[in-house]
């Protein structure tokens, strides 16, 4: 249990009560012989005793002695506070000096004499001052139990006096000190305060009483209520079948504190009550309510409470709780897949709190969510804002965001904007890790090639291919380990994919150059000998040159490169591209004039078949298929139908306007029309 009064700050202990320095003057009346009403036997035995014990047998004080004691009390009122807002721990009781013992004896004898006459407030004021200074003397000497005895009687039974607020502070400080002692029973010490609290509130919060004591007691009362809620949270943390119910009940308790006290705390109490700082502390229980509801999976209630915190009408906007809550609202929307609201709140957090550590991640999450929502303009604005705010301190993340936005623009019909974005940021992208730098160059090369700027496109792809050769040749690790094996594997995959795309693009240019070598035209007589001579001469020479170029191009594809981790997509596409090269060469040869059964033609047909079969084998092994790999299947089905019978997927559909179920497939045609299997009305 935490000591009181104090602020219920997360992870920190509330402050102990600090006595006023100097202690207030201008006291009122006091009847010190009245006993305290509550008991806390385990906390301090002195609480069982009356405020004044049996008076020693002494002669009555003379008026001069009474005046001296009262004058000493006035002089001793300005005493340094025993605490200064920070807990220092109770000091051990010490023996009073002879002069102090004499004054204490005189003060106790003074208090033993008859009480002032009713209505004599001046006399009661003087007696109250003496009693209060006696309590302070005990407190500063480490005699917390004796100080508690006197201060408690003053605070409980004489709250109408001007000294009562200071006595209340002293009482709370004594309870805090005694409850913090290693030998004390902390629950019993604070149970004493809990028992006294209703009576203290009744007398110190009456109309016309000072604001500060009532505000202090209100905070203590709320803290007791808060501790009850915290007990439920601990039960929730322990788990079990009722854990969620305990957390929800804790949230209800916290919310009840807010609803009970937010209007009551300062209503009709004047501006000084607000200056006492009650409102921010109430915000903390509201924040805890949201956390408790979230732990109970009552996400709708958690969100409603968080919106209460950020509502300016509740006066919490100047507290640190609003920053935490704005972040929590964004995180909750993100976790529940409400990406639109999550992006709004991430942007709001970054805009309001740009200097916080979490603002960078918030703004980067906003960029990704805007892209997922199909809002590239807002994503680009967020990425630009990130670069301006955090580009110097987080260059890698800024580069990743630029690449992400450019990739989205390239994939969604904005190649000009994408290439311009990449070119502006290329210096920063080059300084980024390889899983950012290489994909950026490859993407820019792809965009330049699409716009007809082939020379610049080749330069971008060549840059990545040369860097890949250096990395693989040295056996170097392309990235520094981050400690997250899965993230490292994904990053390495991006590196090899970029390198493979660059190699593929360059190899495709070589294949295109080979395909551009046209076969010679036959212009002879058509006689067998003439055709044979043409085939052995010009056509044979062309075929050999074309095959050499095709083999060189095939060797440049990434499926033949020494990848530590071969990229599946580009391996399958490479096999399909090589197969396409042999198909094209076979088709080109078939258009020429050559003898039937010409051996080079039969050999080329076999090579083309091997390339198509390898294309299918690689695609099946890597579980990859697209139009390029399906072209291999179609060629084999047409050229080698027995070994590779054509296969087609049967897709049921409704015949337009008839409601008849039919299967569209070239192998189920009846007179050129799809075969109707069944009528389905």
């Amino acid at each position: 249990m935490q000591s009181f009064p104090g602020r219920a700050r997360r992870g920190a202990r509330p402050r102990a009560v600090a006595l006023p320095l100097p202690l207030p003057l201008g006291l009122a009346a006091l009847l010190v012989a009245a006993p305290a009403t509550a008991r806390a036997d385990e906390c301090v035995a002195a609480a069982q005793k009356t405020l004044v014990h049996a008076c020693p047998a002494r002669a009555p004080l003379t008026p001069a002695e009474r005046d001296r004691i009262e004058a000493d009390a006035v002089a001793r009122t300005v005493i340094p506070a025993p605490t200064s807002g920070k807990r220092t721990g109770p000091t051990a009781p010490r023996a009073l000096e002879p002069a102090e013992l004499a004054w204490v004896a005189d003060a106790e004898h003074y208090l033993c004499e008859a009480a002032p006459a009713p209505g004599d407030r001046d006399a009661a004021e003087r007696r109250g001052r003496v009693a209060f200074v006696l309590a302070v003397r005990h407190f500063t000497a480490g005699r917390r139990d004796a100080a508690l005895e006197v201060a408690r009687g003053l605070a409980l039974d004489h709250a109408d006096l001007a000294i009562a607020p200071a006595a209340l502070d002293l009482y709370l400080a004594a309870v805090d000190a005694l409850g913090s002692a290693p030998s004390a029973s902390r629950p019993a010490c604070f149970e004493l305060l809990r028992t006294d609290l209703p009576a203290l509130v009744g007398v110190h919060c009456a109309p016309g009483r000072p604001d500060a004591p009532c505000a202090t007691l209100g905070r203590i009362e709320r803290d007791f209520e808060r501790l009850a809620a915290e007990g439920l949270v601990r039960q929730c943390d322990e788990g079990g079948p009722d854990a969620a119910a305990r957390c929800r009940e804790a949230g209800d308790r916290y919310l009840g504190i807010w609803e009970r006290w937010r209007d009551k705390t300062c209503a009709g109490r004047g501006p000084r009550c607000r200056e006492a700082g009650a409102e921010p502390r109430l915000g903390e229980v509201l924040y805890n309510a949201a956390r408790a509801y979230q732990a109970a999976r009552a996400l709708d209630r958690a969100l409603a409470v968080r919106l209460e915190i950020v509502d300016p009408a509740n006066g919490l906007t100047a507290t640190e709780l609003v920053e935490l809550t704005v972040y929590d609202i964004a995180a909750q929307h993100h976790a529940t897949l409400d990406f639109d609201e999550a992006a709004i709140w991430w942007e709001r957090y970054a805009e309001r709190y740009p200097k916080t550590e979490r603002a960078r991640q918030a703004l980067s999450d906003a960029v990704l969510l805007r892209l997922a929502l199909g809002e590239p303009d807002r994503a680009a604005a967020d990425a630009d804002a990130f670069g301006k705010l955090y580009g110097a301190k987080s260059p890698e993340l800024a580069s990743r965001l630029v690449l992400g936005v450019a990739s989205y623009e390239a994939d969604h019909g904005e190649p000009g904007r994408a290439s311009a974005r990449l070119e502006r940021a290329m210096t920063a992208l080059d300084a980024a890790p390889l899983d950012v730098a290489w994909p950026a160059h490859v993407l820019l090369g792809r965009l330049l090639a699409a716009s007809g700027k082939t020379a610049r496109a080749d330069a971008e792809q060549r840059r990545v291919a040369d860097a890949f050769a250096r990395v693989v040749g040295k056996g170097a690790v392309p990235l520094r380990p981050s400690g997250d094996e899965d993230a490292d594997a994904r990053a390495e995959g991006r590196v090899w994919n970029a390198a493979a795309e660059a190699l593929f693009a360059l190899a495709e240019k070589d294949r295109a150059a080979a395909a551009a070598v046209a076969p010679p035209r036959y212009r002879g007589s058509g006689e067998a000998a003439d055709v044979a001579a043409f085939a052995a001469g010009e056509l044979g020479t062309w075929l050999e040159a074309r095959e050499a170029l095709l083999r060189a191009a095939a060797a440049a594809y990434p499926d033949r490169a020494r990848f530590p981790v071969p990229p599946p997509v580009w391996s399958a596409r490479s096999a399909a591209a090589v197969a396409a090269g042999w198909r094209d060469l076979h088709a080109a040869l078939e258009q020429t004039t050559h003898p039937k059964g010409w051996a080079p033609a039969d050999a080329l047909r076999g090579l083309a078949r091997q390339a198509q079969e390898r294309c299918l084998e690689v695609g099946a092994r890597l579980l990859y298929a697209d139009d390029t790999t399906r072209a291999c299947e179609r060629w084999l089905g047409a050229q080698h139908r027995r070994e590779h019978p054509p296969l087609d997927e049967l897709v049921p559909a409704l015949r337009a306007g008839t409601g008849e179920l039919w299967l569209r497939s070239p192998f189920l045609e009846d007179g050129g029309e799809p075969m109707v299997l069944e009528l389905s009305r």
Side-chain angles (χ1 to χ4, degrees):
M1 179 181 289
Q2 293 177 320
S3 53
F4 297 95
R7 182 172 183 179
R9 183 181 295 275
R10 298 175 303 281
R13 294 175 62 88
R15 298 182 300 173
V17 175
L19 295 181
L21 179 59
L23 295 176
L25 301 178
L27 309 178
L30 175 65
L31 296 175
V32 294
T37 55
R39 301 175 63 184
D41 299 344
E42 298 178 21
C43 180
V44 52
Q48 301 182 38
K49 305 175 184 178
T50 58
L51 183 60
V52 178
H53 315 311
C55 294
R58 287 181 51 176
L61 295 173
T62 65
E65 290 174 327
R66 295 171 61 84
D67 292 342
R68 176 182 57 79
I69 294 172
E70 292 171 355
D72 286 345
V74 174
R76 296 172 186 274
T77 299
V78 183
I79 299 175
T83 60
S84 60
K86 296 181 180 179
R87 183 186 301 278
T88 57
T91 59
R94 65 174 176 83
L96 297 178
E97 299 293 334
E100 295 174 320
L101 286 171
W103 188 89
V104 168
D106 289 342
E108 290 181 345
H109 187 58
Y110 172 91
L111 297 174
C112 281
E113 294 193 352
D120 190 353
R121 296 188 62 84
D122 291 339
E125 178 77 16
R126 293 192 296 272
R127 293 173 65 83
R129 188 190 301 269
V130 172
F132 180 70
V133 174
L134 176 62
V136 173
R137 170 59 64 189
H138 287 313
F139 193 96
T140 55
R143 298 168 56 88
R144 315 297 194 189
D145 53 349
L148 173 65
E149 178 185 5
V150 178
R152 182 165 169 262
L154 289 171
L156 273 172
D157 302 320
H158 308 289
D160 59 325
L161 304 179
I163 192 61
L168 177 62
D169 283 348
L170 183 58
Y171 169 39
L172 298 175
V175 169
D176 179 65
L178 288 167
S180 303
S183 61
S185 175
R186 292 176 59 82
C189 289
F190 293 111
E191 186 61 31
L192 172 65
L193 179 57
R194 186 194 298 271
T195 304
D196 289 345
L197 193 57
L200 291 170
V201 171
V203 295
H204 287 276
C205 294
R209 301 298 301 159
D211 291 328
C214 185
T216 298
L217 293 173
R219 288 194 296 270
I220 296 173
E221 192 172 2
R222 292 193 299 276
D223 281 340
F224 274 124
E225 296 174 0
R226 176 183 53 77
L227 285 178
E230 287 179 357
L232 293 171
V233 172
R234 285 192 292 271
Q235 295 178 29
C236 174
D237 292 340
E238 293 172 358
D242 297 332
R246 297 285 78 77
C247 269
R248 189 181 183 95
E249 184 180 355
D252 292 340
R253 290 280 189 96
Y254 282 126
L255 190 58
I257 297 172
W258 164 258
E259 293 175 346
R260 176 185 174 193
W261 287 97
R262 63 173 173 177
D263 296 327
K264 177 181 177 181
T265 303
C266 293
R269 304 293 293 170
R272 286 181 294 171
C273 180
R274 291 191 180 275
E275 292 171 2
E279 303 305 328
R281 297 172 190 175
L282 276 177
E284 292 176 3
V285 302
L286 199 59
Y287 181 80
N288 290 338
R291 293 182 64 109
Y293 282 134
Q294 180 167 329
R297 308 308 299 164
L299 299 182
D300 53 342
R301 294 183 67 86
L303 181 60
V305 171
R306 285 171 173 145
L307 292 175
E308 284 278 309
I309 297 176
V310 300
D311 186 353
N314 289 320
L316 300 174
T317 54
T319 67
E320 63 178 343
L321 296 175
V322 175
E323 175 203 331
L324 300 174
T325 303
V326 171
Y327 190 92
D328 289 344
I329 291 174
Q332 181 173 335
H333 283 303
H334 201 155
T336 55
L337 307 184
D338 188 357
F339 293 153
D340 191 11
E341 286 294 320
I344 292 173
W345 285 95
W346 286 136
E347 290 167 346
R348 189 170 299 173
Y349 182 88
E351 180 182 358
R352 292 184 181 180
Y353 313 103
K355 295 183 179 180
T356 61
E357 185 64 27
R358 298 194 296 183
R360 305 179 192 180
Q361 190 61 46
L363 194 53
S364 66
D365 286 346
V367 174
L368 300 180
L369 290 180
R370 290 300 181 191
L371 293 177
L373 292 168
E375 300 174 348
D377 291 340
R378 301 184 70 171
D382 288 341
D384 292 342
F386 188 97
K388 293 177 181 177
L389 291 172
Y390 313 114
K393 293 184 178 180
S394 300
E396 178 181 338
L397 184 53
S399 298
R400 292 185 186 278
L401 295 178
V402 170
L403 178 59
V405 174
S407 298
Y408 184 94
E409 292 172 335
D411 294 340
H412 292 80
E414 295 288 347
R417 293 178 58 178
S419 60
R421 186 178 305 280
L422 290 173
E423 288 177 329
R424 287 196 305 268
M426 191 53 72
T427 300
L429 291 169
D430 282 334
L434 295 185
D435 67 315
V436 177
W438 287 10
H441 282 286
V442 168
L443 176 58
L444 180 58
R446 190 194 317 153
L447 295 171
L448 292 172
S451 63
K453 301 175 182 179
T454 56
R456 293 180 58 193
D458 293 346
E460 296 294 334
Q461 306 292 5
R462 180 65 63 187
R463 179 169 183 169
V464 175
D466 292 344
F468 167 76
R470 290 193 297 270
V471 169
V472 173
K474 296 179 180 178
V477 178
L479 298 168
R480 290 176 298 181
S482 66
D484 186 339
E485 293 183 1
D486 292 338
D488 291 345
R490 290 192 295 270
E492 188 173 354
R494 289 191 292 271
V495 171
W496 301 139
N497 268 304
E501 183 176 354
L503 293 174
F504 184 88
L506 295 174
E508 283 288 89
K509 290 185 67 65
D510 293 341
R511 182 167 73 91
V517 180
R521 294 184 60 183
Y522 175 70
R523 294 182 175 85
S525 62
E527 296 182 358
D530 191 52
V531 170
F534 171 75
E538 289 184 68
L539 186 61
T541 302
W542 168 82
L543 183 59
E544 290 179 0
R546 180 77 175 265
E547 283 189 10
L549 292 174
L550 183 56
R551 292 180 188 278
Y557 279 97
D559 66 329
R560 306 294 178 90
R562 294 179 299 165
F563 277 96
V565 181
V569 172
W570 295 107
S571 295
R573 288 185 178 180
S574 297
V578 173
W582 288 107
R583 285 199 309 271
D584 293 342
L585 180 56
H586 176 265
L589 183 61
E590 289 296 307
Q591 299 297 321
T592 64
T593 302
H594 58 271
K596 185 176 181 180
W598 189 39
D602 294 339
L604 178 61
R605 181 183 176 88
L607 292 174
R609 177 179 177 177
Q610 293 176 8
Q612 312 311 307
E613 290 175 343
R614 183 176 183 277
C615 166
L616 294 183
E617 184 273 329
V618 172
R621 174 164 47 85
L622 299 177
L623 302 178
Y624 180 84
D626 61 10
D627 290 341
T628 62
T629 60
R630 283 188 284 270
C632 301
E633 183 180 357
R634 288 193 296 270
W635 189 89
L636 288 171
Q639 299 290 331
H640 303 278
R641 194 179 186 90
R642 182 181 299 276
E643 296 86 351
H644 298 277
L647 299 177
D648 195 16
E649 182 178 6
L650 303 182
V651 182
L654 290 176
R655 183 191 295 272
T658 66
E660 296 172 339
L661 182 67
W662 58 286
L663 297 178
R664 186 180 184 85
S665 172
F667 308 108
L668 289 178
E669 291 185 353
D670 182 13
E673 293 293 330
M675 183 181 295
V676 178
L677 300 183
E678 294 288 345
L679 290 179
S680 177
R681 296 289 183 179

